[in-house]
Amino acid sequence: MRVLGIETSCDETGIAIYDSVKGLVGHTIYSQIELHREYGGVVPELASRDHVHKALPLIEEALKQADISKADIDAVAYTAGPGLMGALLAGASIGRSLAWALNIPATEVHHMEGHLLAPMLEDDSIQFPFLSLLVSGGHTQLILAKALGEYEILGESVDDAIGEAFDKTAKMLGLPYPGGPEISQLALKGNPDAYKFPRPMTDRPGLDFSYSGLKTFAINTFNKSDKSYQVKADIALAFQTAAIDTLFIKCKRAIIQTNTKQLVVAGGVSANTYLREKLTQLEDKLSVTVHYPGKDFCTDNGAMIAFAGWLRLKQIEDHQPLSFTAKPRWPLSDLTSPSK
Ligand code: KG4
Ligand code: ZN
């Protein structure tokens, strides 16, 4: 079965073709980062318009990479939420229309389920149940993934998501959007003894996170400083260390609590080098294996949507009606197994 995946939930148009025998045979992406950079964040209206322009040429390109034609596609999977309403509608309407025209099934995919399953694209040692840490621009969640579609949220951020805190702190330091990679680069020049930032919510039981206080701490520290390049690097380092140490502490707790042997880390922040270094300590201390998506599949992409769509479609004879919805807010815990 060949599944065309369409991702348009935010500022990346991601198109991919997943072949159940050969694996990923087509993978194209267009990032709108330059378009939004001058505004310091994503402008929803511009994002939707750009998805409309880019999706069809990218589909043509993915078909060319796979050396197939539209008629060889067996199903379409598109991101139905969560995300920006207009951006989601662009992908959903293209996906549904294509499926209707080709008379093939189309299935909606939850964006975060896509992220959560992305490490499985290249690593078949990952088996349910496992513990998942989802860290992106909109989510910070610890999830017990029991089976496909069966996700128990063990903890999540009570305010800002970790990626959002990286982006806002970066903006305050005068760094371009998206701030995560910028902070981690600048942090390389920081002095580890300059500042120590708090590790929010680690002094109480539970698996929830909070990142807005840490972001405010960084802003206040910056405002009281001489705002030199070195201070910015020191703040970037102190912020990154505190943000990631907090994830480490909660992951350790969750591993002990669930007695899991596999931790799967996904979402844009999973690209962070310090996060990966730090979580390696868990492998030694708690004998768990830690899995990450391949480098092209950490941030938003169509491959994770095609793959999640295929996992769902192989369990169901699904030919959803032509009418569809996009769900800007859609808790992962609302999903169900495709066979139910
Ligand atoms: O998963 P993603 O591409 O989009 C959402 O679904 O949100 O994640 C984007 C987020 C942004 O906040 C970005 O700053 C962050 O991931 N990010 C990073 C790194 N690369 C991307 N944060 C920290 N370190 C990185 N290397
Ligand atoms: Zn994402």
Side-chain angles (χ1 to χ4, degrees), residues 182-201:
E182 299 286 336
I183 294 235
S184 76
Q185 271 307 107
L186 185 59
L188 296 173
K189 307 267 168 42
N191 169 6
D193 300 320
Y195 299 109
K196 180 150 170 78
F197 284 11
R199 274 72 174 147
M201 293 183 80

Side-chain angles (χ1 to χ4, degrees), residues 218-229:
I219 294 173
N220 291 342
T221 308
F222 184 60
N223 287 339
K224 278 188 236 148
S225 75
D226 63 8
K227 301 187 177 173
S228 64
Y229 176 82

Side-chain angles (χ1 to χ4, degrees), residues 9 111-112 115 136 268 299-300 304:
S9 66
H111 180 79
M112 298 313 291
H115 274 304
S136 72
T299 47
D300 294 348
M304 66 184 195

